[in-house]
Amino acid sequence: MGTRAGGRRTGPKCIAIVGPFASGKTTLLEAILARTGSIPRQNPVSSGNTVSDHSPEARAHAMSVEATIATTEFMGEQLTFVDCPGSIEFSFEAEPVLAACDLAVVVAEADEKKIPALQLIMRKLDDLGVPRILFLNKVDKAIAGVRDTLKMLQPASSVPLLLRQIPLRKDGVVIGSIDLALERAYIYREYAESEVAEIPGDDKARELEARFSMLEALADHDDQLMEQLLEEIEPPKDAIFDDLAADLRDGAVTPVLIGTAEKGNGVLRLLKAIRHDAPDIEATRKRLGAPDGAATVVQVIKTIHTPHGGKLSVSRILSGQVVDGSELWLPGGDTAKVSGIYRMLGRDQSKLTLAKAGDTVALGKLDGVKTGQTLSSAKGGIKPLIEFEPPQPVFAFALRPKERKDEVKMSAAIQRLAEEDPSLSLRHNQDSAETVLSGHGEMHLRVVRERLEGKNQIPVEGHAPAVPYRETIRKPAQQRGRHKKQSGGHGQFGDVVIEIKPLPRGSGFQFTDTITGGVVPKTYIQSVETGVRDYLKSGPLGFPVVDVAVNLSDGSYHAVDSSDMAFQMAARLAMKEGMAACSPVLLEPVMKVEIVTPSDATSKIIALIPQRRGQILGYDARPDWPGWDVVEATMPQAEIGDLIIELRSATAGVASYRAVFDHMAELTGRLADDAMNTDGKAA
């Protein structure tokens, strides 16, 4: 016993700080940087002057909107902390970071409403195989006991939450903590190192009970410790620390430390636990499946475009080393040359001459390199170590610059923003001629718009994207169309008779001809079809026409004056007059929607679906997600635009959905009139 962990892992480490929105992640980072001397003092988040508040958007909304990287030193070892946003709308920022970090510090508090958000984070850590420590924050404000709090939080974690500290109280106020492994008390001092003290006699029994529970959990993975507990033999402290480190690194337990980041309480014990217990780059390299050998391997975790320094690729050096001017290979054979290596402390950068395995640094001007890519010194590159698929966008708006001269500038700015945030999606809608920007919530896209207008000085206008309405017909009709024009020399003559009839929903468009006797020469039949198809781009209601069959049954031509264009015009005239007699009707796209929600909000979700003209198909427990449900429904696309706002409002910000096209359905009455007034012809 005492050798399972193999001792303390030295060398540079990368630690992600994650947790639900407003749990205190940025405050904890400030406390860490102040305690390690990287900043002169701890600034409260409300001051708008923290290391993470390096963007006006973060300050304006009092929330982190992107990952912040800060490298510091503690007891002679280099630690890089990455403060990841807590809002689900910016959660994709964390995925490339988590994959390449050695450890995650999950910041949580005794708030039952935030358990679903905590569960989302814990599940992501499970998927990526990242070891974690839970920092139970705001213990000075908690009403429930710490062990009751752990029982409340445990459903969010797939592995046991292992309490390493318990609060020390005086007159009902938390004044410190008791370390269960060291069997030592610590009296908190605001923004300073705690004072070591003996465990008060009144708390000894409580400490022994909590300590035995901790040892029992460790004994599940250590037979020798189990024997010692059964025989009531006191295990050596170094063996207990070894088990704590080994179980953390193996992902068998999630150790829980307590404190109040706002006052700097508990931060030093957290730092010491990280220093002693966290795995190192070798374990992370193995988890990612990085190749053995002497080659340099670099994993890009974030892209930043700075006003003066250009593009920076924040990267974890998994093996080898990088010097200024190094040439690195991308997967597929392209190369990129490093132009500058920087250590990050929020918005501040300090230049380095080289970066070695374990370092987290910013590499300058790696053109063509994207977040999530794996770079290598091996010729031709290596297979990507991580595959990321951003979640389906749930909110969108159509965007255009207020001044047309800014169109090219806006396009370039959005491309840079999409490089920084791969979860953004940009597409051009040909039907509506709109540039549509999609993301993961209203706040997500609001921040993008603010960056376009603030950072890039491009005033923009945004509105809900146009719904791709279509129109069809309810009854058949026959119509003649004749185009005749004489203006000296060759005239224009085309004469057609067409039969228009509806087709079953989803059939599209069919064109046939039943011409006999050559009344319309074969060379002009294709021209008739071209004219018909051209008309169908915008029918009598102002929208593309679908599910229609057109047959060319008769007509006539002139040996001299007929032409391709004349027959196209004749076909368009016949369609224009004939379609009006076919009882045209508007069609709207209906989507199949799959909503994931905490079970306690399922009834709210089911209630709001009919309010958006939706039809509930059913709901069931989400597989392997205790406490979550999946609700399936169909809903018109026109009702989905701001659906995510209502879903998140009903679920403390954690619900999401996926939507796929299901079918087209008729739309009549006031809603059809509104759609035509907005997007088509006036009804």
Side-chain angles (χ1 to χ4, degrees), residues 519-547:
V519 292
V520 176
K522 288 184 178 181
T523 54
Y524 296 137
I525 291 177
Q526 179 64 47
S527 303
V528 175
E529 181 178 354
T530 299
V532 170
R533 287 183 178 274
D534 187 51
Y535 173 81
L536 292 179
K537 292 176 183 178
S538 180
L541 304 181
F543 298 92
V545 181
V546 296
D547 303 335

Side-chain angles (χ1 to χ4, degrees), residues 221-277:
H221 311 284
D222 187 331
D223 293 340
Q224 189 173 350
L225 176 59
M226 179 65 77
E227 291 176 11
Q228 289 175 330
L229 293 181
L230 292 173
E231 296 173 9
E232 297 184 355
I233 298 172
E234 178 64 26
K237 283 189 173 60
D238 62 344
I240 295 172
F241 279 110
D242 182 75
D243 278 341
L244 285 166
D247 287 352
L248 166 67
R249 295 172 194 171
D250 292 343
V253 300
T254 298
V256 178
L257 287 84
I258 65 174
T260 300
E262 188 177 21
K263 299 175 181 177
N265 296 336
V267 171
L268 185 60
R269 299 310 311 162
L270 173 64
L271 283 167
K272 288 187 174 180
I274 291 170
R275 182 176 183 269
H276 185 274
D277 299 345

Side-chain angles (χ1 to χ4, degrees), residues 181-471:
L182 286 170
E183 292 191 287
R184 192 178 295 163
Y186 293 89
I187 309 299
Y188 292 149
R189 295 188 297 177
E190 286 194 17
Y191 312 116
E193 186 174 342
S194 298
E195 178 185 340
V196 181
E198 292 295 324
I199 299 173
D202 294 346
D203 293 292
K204 193 63 181 174
R206 189 167 61 93
E207 182 269 333
L208 288 173
E209 181 186 355
R211 186 171 190 269
F212 187 77
S213 296
M214 180 188 76
L215 295 178
E216 275 190 316
L218 294 175
D220 289 341
H221 311 284
D222 187 331
D223 293 340
Q224 189 173 350
L225 176 59
M226 179 65 77
E227 291 176 11
Q228 289 175 330
L229 293 181
L230 292 173
E231 296 173 9
E232 297 184 355
I233 298 172
E234 178 64 26
K237 283 189 173 60
D238 62 344
I240 295 172
F241 279 110
D242 182 75
D243 278 341
L244 285 166
D247 287 352
L248 166 67
R249 295 172 194 171
D250 292 343
V253 300
T254 298
V256 178
L257 287 84
I258 65 174
T260 300
E262 188 177 21
K263 299 175 181 177
N265 296 336
V267 171
L268 185 60
R269 299 310 311 162
L270 173 64
L271 283 167
K272 288 187 174 180
I274 291 170
R275 182 176 183 269
H276 185 274
D277 299 345
D280 60 359
I281 189 62
E282 183 178 346
T284 301
R285 190 163 54 238
K286 183 177 180 181
R287 171 165 54 83
L288 291 174
D292 295 327
T296 296
V297 178
V298 174
Q299 185 65 37
V300 181
I301 64 173
K302 182 174 173 60
T303 301
I304 303 171
H305 286 276
T306 65
H308 306 295
K311 179 180 174 181
L312 295 176
S313 299
V314 181
S315 307
R316 187 87 198 275
I317 313 301
L318 299 180
S319 62
Q321 66 176 29
V322 175
V323 299
D324 200 357
S326 293
E327 190 172 65
L328 298 172
W329 292 79
L330 284 71
D334 292 333
T335 62
K337 188 175 182 179
V338 176
S339 179
I341 305 172
Y342 306 92
R343 178 172 293 169
M344 306 288 290
L345 184 64
R347 74 197 84 179
D348 299 325
Q349 306 157 19
S350 55
K351 195 160 188 178
L352 303 172
T353 56
L354 66 86
K356 58 185 183 301
D359 285 344
T360 305
V361 295
L363 304 178
K365 300 179 182 178
L366 293 180
D367 295 333
V369 172
K370 299 178 181 178
T371 298
Q373 286 188 322
T374 305
L375 314 179
S376 175
S377 62
K379 188 173 182 180
I382 64 171
K383 181 180 177 181
L385 299 179
I386 307 167
E387 295 289 346
F388 294 109
E389 183 177 348
Q392 185 186 57
V394 294
F395 193 77
F397 60 60
L399 198 65
R400 64 171 178 262
K402 289 184 178 179
E403 298 185 27
R404 291 196 63 179
K405 66 182 180 62
D406 287 333
E407 285 182 355
V408 174
K409 187 179 176 183
M410 185 188 79
S411 178
I414 291 177
Q415 286 180 355
R416 290 193 298 272
L417 291 173
E419 267 197 293
E420 294 181 332
D421 181 0
S423 65
L424 282 175
S425 172
L426 186 70
R427 64 182 176 86
H428 183 72
N429 187 330
Q430 290 187 339
D431 283 349
S432 61
E434 292 175 332
T435 298
V436 180
L437 189 66
S438 304
H440 303 295
E442 188 269 341
M443 180 60 75
H444 186 204
L445 295 192
R446 185 191 300 180
V447 167
V448 172
R449 182 170 175 174
E450 288 170 357
R451 285 178 172 167
L452 285 172
E453 295 188 326
K455 183 179 179 180
N456 296 278
Q457 299 293 302
I458 306 170
V460 295
E461 296 175 331
H463 58 86
V467 176
Y469 293 108
R470 297 292 184 263
E471 59 181 276

Side-chain angles (χ1 to χ4, degrees), residues 600-611:
D600 60 7
T602 300
S603 59
K604 296 179 185 177
I605 303 304
I606 289 174
L608 71 84
I609 288 172
Q611 298 170 15

Side-chain angles (χ1 to χ4, degrees), residues 17 27-37 72 81 267 270-271:
I17 302 177
T27 302
L28 178 61
L29 176 60
E30 281 287 303
I32 287 170
L33 296 177
R35 188 55 52 86
T36 57
T72 188
F81 292 91
V267 171
L270 173 64
L271 283 167

